Every structure is written in structure tokens, then in C-alpha cells.
Amino acid sequence: MSRVPVLTIDGPSASGKGTVAERVARALGFHYLDSGALYRLTALAAMQAGVALDDEAGVAARAAELPARFHEGRVWLADADVTDAIRAEAVGEGASRVAALPAVRAALLERQRAYRQPPGLVADGRDMGTVIFPDAATKVFLTASAQARAERRYKQLIEKGNSASLRALVADMQARDARDTARAVAPLRPAPDALLLDTTHMGIEAAVQAVLDHHRTQQGN
Ligand code: C5P
């Protein structure tokens, strides 16, 4: 077991966990792991290579040799800046499909643990507290109602000049939650020792503060 501290922040899509995790990492001066990006990169690499997303061995081989790099807020796949490309709906959908394949999750396991470097790590995803870092001292499970999460995503899309349907977003959100929660390997669920934080009626700043307060309390234990 590593002595390097880890804070895990898990939760469903658009719960705000990425933004909260990044800000908590900055406040503590810790490294930050966006594990969802690794699944998105795997899906993108497979799609670009013409590997079918249900070809478990083929996709796992891509995951095992993923030429991924995170640098100053940008995400690279070999020599290509794919920061925006991995956020496309089709890639998110692909990520959620490849994430259900056990060989793909196994291929990404050690890679995720390798991000645990001094002075500490904040890791966000679906199984950070349950599977990847079960010994983390601080675990948070961030939720918000599907309606609230869809409204947040709707606002982001409209602000970026895209058209969007709130009703379709609520349906997408529920479908992705159902797939992440029902899958056999590493399903989305809170670790028994996680703090449950419902952000339906909570702003980002308040959520960041709640995580930092919880971390401080855990350190005292
Ligand atoms: O968090 P994000 O939406 O970027 O993740 C994309 C997809 O990757 C999710 O829908 C989920 O299926 C999968 N994922 C996962 N385990 C993680 C992180 C993401 O299964 N730790």
C-alpha cells in the first residue's frame, strides 16, 4: 500500500465531479487523474484504428499501449491534440461501451495507479474508491438528480453555441447511468466509506469546500 495520499471522487456523468476534482487538486497542490479521459481515449484510439468497440481483445490491446499524455490542461493521443475530440458525444458513448469490457478495465488498472505520486493525487471516475484506490483515506461520491445534471450539460452546450434538447439530454443521462450502474465489472456505486455529496442544490464552490473539509477531517483520523 502506498503512503501517498489519494482523494477519490466518483459519481455519474455531469455530476460536476471533474470540475470539483480539478479544483480540489489545485487547492491541495496534488496531481489530478481524469480516469474517464482514459476510457474516452481508448474508444477514440479503437475507432481511429477501425477496431470494433465490442472486440474485447482488440480494444484491450489499444488500451494497453495507449500513447496518451496529459499536459497543461490538454490531452494528447500520440502527436494529436484530442482535447476536444474526446468530448464528442460519439466518443463518450463509445467510452461507456468499452468501459463495460473486463479486459479493457484490466488493461487500464496499473496505468491509473501509477498516477499516485507525491505529494498526492485527486482521482475522479466511477470506480476510483471501490476498485482502483480502495485504500484511499478520503472518498467522495458526488451525485445530483438526472434533471439537474441534464440542465447543467444543456447550459454548457448552449453556451458553446450548440443546439440541444433538454428532454433528450435527460434520457441520455438516464441511459448512461443505467449502463454504468448495471454492468458486471466495476459498476458505478459508492464505496461503503465514501461521503455522499448531493450537489443538486449546491454550487461548485460549496462542493469543493465540502470535499476539502471532509479531507481535513479524514486526515485527523
Ligand atoms: O467521466 P466520463 O464521462 O468522461 O467517462 C466516460 C465513460 O467512461 C463513462 O460513461 C463510464 O462509462 C466510463 N468510465 C468508467 N470508469 C471510470 C471512468 C469512466 O467506466 N473510472
Side-chain angles (χ1 to χ4, degrees), residues 13 17 34-37 39-40 87 92 95-96 99 105 112 125-128 176 180 183:
S13 48
K17 62 189 184 324
D34 170 5
S35 64
Y39 289 94
R40 287 172 182 269
R87 297 293 147 200
S96 151
R105 302 200 75 86
Q112 294 173 84
R126 305 294 189 288
D127 62 342
M128 297 297 99
R176 195 168 298 181
D180 286 349
R183 70 176 174 225

Side-chain angles (χ1 to χ4, degrees), residues 35-58:
S35 64
L38 292 175
Y39 289 94
R40 287 172 182 269
L41 284 162
T42 299
L44 182 64
M47 287 152 96
Q48 287 178 345
V51 175
L53 296 184
D54 58 358
D55 171 359
E56 185 164 0

Side-chain angles (χ1 to χ4, degrees), residues 63-211:
E65 57 188 36
L66 203 60
R69 218 158 35 87
F70 297 88
H71 187 63
E72 292 181 349
R74 309 298 298 177
V75 185
W76 298 82
L77 191 57
D79 296 331
D81 181 341
V82 294
T83 315
D84 297 325
I86 59 164
R87 297 293 147 200
E89 253 340 277
V91 177
E93 174 75 23
S96 151
R97 286 177 59 195
V98 302
L101 306 172
V104 172
R105 302 200 75 86
L108 291 175
L109 186 89
E110 287 310 323
R111 183 181 200 121
Q112 294 173 84
R113 288 187 178 153
Y115 281 90
R116 188 174 196 169
Q117 297 289 338
L121 176 71
V122 180
D124 94 60
R126 305 294 189 288
D127 62 342
M128 297 297 99
T130 49
V131 177
I132 309 295
F133 303 110
D135 65 323
T138 306
K139 299 181 185 179
V140 176
F141 193 82
L142 218 65
T143 54
S145 68
Q147 181 73 28
R149 290 184 284 123
E151 282 169 10
R152 288 174 194 169
R153 172 105 356 128
Y154 180 80
K155 224 174 118 205
Q156 282 172 353
L157 288 169
I158 298 297
E159 276 168 3
K160 283 188 191 160
N162 298 307
S163 64
S165 146
L166 185 57
R167 190 181 299 190
L169 284 171
V170 175
D172 282 357
M173 211 62 80
Q174 287 167 336
R176 195 168 298 181
D177 287 355
R179 195 160 43 213
D180 286 349
T181 310
R183 70 176 174 225
V185 278
L188 173 66
R189 62 175 172 79
D193 49 348
L195 169 78
L196 296 185
L197 202 59
D198 186 335
T199 66
T200 304
H201 304 291
M202 194 186 264
I204 293 288
E205 284 311 325
V208 169
Q209 203 48 54
V211 174

